[in-house]
Each structure stands twice: as structure tokens, then as C-alpha cells.
Amino acid sequence: MDNTVLLEDLDAFAYREALASGEAVVLIPVGSLEQHGPHLPLGTDTALASRIAVGVATRLGALVAQPIAYGYKSQQKSGGGNHLPGTTSLDGASLVGVTRNLVKSFLGQGVRHVVFINGHYENYQFLYEGIDLALEELGLGSGSDTSVLLLSYWDFVSADTLARVYPAGFPGWDIEHGGVLETSLMLHLAPERVAMERVIDGPAAALPRFDRLPVVPGRTPPSGCLSSAAGSDAAKGRLLYEQVVGDLVEDLATELWVAPMGLAVPA
Ligand code: ZN
Ligand code: MN
């Protein structure tokens, strides 16, 4: 298949050619299988990370690997909790191990840069640990011209976009679970997977400043969402998607010194 950015669709000879340039960049989307209330699919985090990765890779001339479609345990204060049906998670050690395996495999094959695009809040430190262990095993110290980058896509949402998406005030990234950001992005990217008539509108979750284990299930709103998805629409999703992908392309191009279509390489 020509012109695909998806590794799963690429043939081995085309992949070998991409590696031979010495400049191959592979993006790995990371998500979860996690309840997102009655209106969004369990695969929301994986779907959003994957779609953003494809948007970035297309403009950057990068490749997109199979996503890591399971994530670290959902936590009550950021994802409603791991006790909820549908939420199907990995132990920290498992996610660290998968991450470590992937970094070693891709860099071992000659990929120049690996970029993890995270879409599930709880994953971040385990991805970091897996990357760090892999680099240690590969003997790649500071100053190497091979690298691994790690990011969560919401960290690229600009203040201006936030003000337009949340005219009544931003509730905070930790409780943006099944709320306006994820729902609007899904309405733009995969509207057939969203059931807006099933949105449960209510106040944002009020959670303590500590974590309690085992969780007190009653502290999670009955919807499973931590803030309301009311007010989500495809136009907000489009704004979020275009702005985040644009900023990601710009940052990655600058950092990795590759020339994306339509962007100049920094001098
Ligand atoms: Zn989510
Ligand atoms: Mn999540």
C-alpha cells in the first residue's frame, strides 16, 4: 500500500527503505480500554491518541505504530476509578514492560526517534519508566542523536483554544474525563461513535484532595464522567484537533530536525 503512515499497512520492504534513510520517526499512540460514561465508547482514549498521531505523522512524514490499547489503572480522581465495568487495565509493571519492549525493538531496528502520544491520563509515569529502562539497557546516554519523546496530547491545547472551548471556565485536566474535550474531539473525528442523547448532564465531580484505597465508589458520579459533556460539539472538536496537531507538528519538527510539508526547518 502506497502513502500509508500506518505501520500495520506497510510492507516489510517499504519499512526497510524508511529505516535505511536513518531518519525514520515512529509515533506510538497510547490509550486505554476504559468507561467514558453512557455516550462515548470504551476505546475513546486509544481512538483519540491514534487519530492525533495519524494527523501529525501525515504532515511530519513519520510512521504510526500499532497503539498500546490498554492503559494503567483508571484512578477515581482522573478516570472515575478502576472498579467500573468496562475499565480493563494493566498493572504498572506490565505497561512499563510493554513500553520498554517497544522502545528496544524500534530503536534496535534503526528507527531514529520514537514518540509516544499519550491519550490516557494515568499512563504517563509508566511510559516514562519504560523508556528510561530501555535506554539504559541499550546504553544510550545523553548526547545520543537517537531519542524517545513522550507527551500527552492535551498539554498542547493552547490557552486561546481553552477559552473558546470552555466559555464558562475550564474545569481542569484531571476531571476532563468523558467531558467536553473528549466528546467534542470524538464528534469531530468519529461522530458515529458518540451518542449525545445519552449524555448525563450534572455538576463536575467533587473529589477529596487525597486518594483513598480501596475507593469509595459513591464518590464517582453515577455517569462515570467527571465533568459534563453538555456543550460539546464538532466545531469545538475541530478547533481542538487542528490546533493540537498543528502545534505538535511544529514542536516535533523543531525538536527532531525534520522538514514537514509546508514548514521550514529551523536554522
Ligand atoms: Zn479518556
Ligand atoms: Mn483515560
Side-chain angles (χ1 to χ4, degrees), residues 44-260:
T44 294
D45 291 350
T46 307
L48 293 178
S50 298
R51 292 294 295 267
I52 288 167
V54 167
V56 171
T58 304
R59 288 174 55 187
L60 206 58
L63 297 167
V64 178
Q66 300 274 61
I68 303 178
Y70 294 89
Y72 179 67
K73 295 163 193 163
S74 179
Q75 291 171 339
Q76 188 167 38
K77 289 167 64 181
S78 48
N82 211 45
H83 58 293
L84 296 167
T87 296
T88 310
S89 309
L90 302 175
D91 288 338
S94 304
L95 182 55
V96 168
V98 170
T99 306
R100 182 177 134 257
N101 291 159
L102 294 180
V103 170
K104 285 178 68 181
S105 293
F106 282 121
L107 295 187
Q109 290 169 17
V111 169
R112 173 85 177 271
H113 303 287
V114 172
V115 182
F116 286 90
I117 309 243
N118 179 41
H120 174 62
Y121 194 86
E122 292 85 342
N123 285 341
Y124 198 89
Q125 298 301 339
F126 300 97
L127 298 171
Y128 191 105
E129 174 71 351
I131 295 164
D132 192 58
L133 292 177
L135 295 187
E136 192 180 315
E137 279 175 64
L138 290 167
L140 286 176
S142 51
S144 167
D145 59 0
T146 287
S147 73
V148 181
L149 305 188
L150 169 61
L151 61 99
S152 293
Y153 73 78
W154 49 83
D155 286 334
F156 287 76
V157 176
S158 72
D160 183 53
T161 299
L162 264 194
R164 289 164 68 186
V165 171
Y166 299 93
F170 177 54
W173 288 126
D174 48 345
I175 59 168
E176 211 342 305
H177 176 73
V180 171
L181 171 109
E182 289 186 316
T183 306
S184 295
L185 278 168
M186 288 295 281
L187 284 170
H188 171 53
L189 296 168
E192 71 287 356
R193 299 179 72 187
V194 186
M196 280 309 283
E197 71 283 1
R198 287 165 61 81
V199 165
I200 297 173
D201 189 14
L207 291 158
R209 281 174 284 188
F210 48 80
D211 282 299
R212 173 170 168 153
L213 293 89
V215 294
V216 180
R219 283 184 174 151
T220 302
S223 66
C225 301
L226 298 184
S227 54
S228 175
S232 303
D233 62 54
K236 288 177 178 172
R238 185 190 173 87
L239 168 70
L240 281 159
Y241 179 77
E242 297 295 338
Q243 186 261 300
V244 165
V245 167
D247 278 21
L248 260 164
V249 167
E250 212 175 293
D251 273 23
L252 295 181
T254 305
E255 184 65 19
L256 304 176
W257 294 90
V258 293

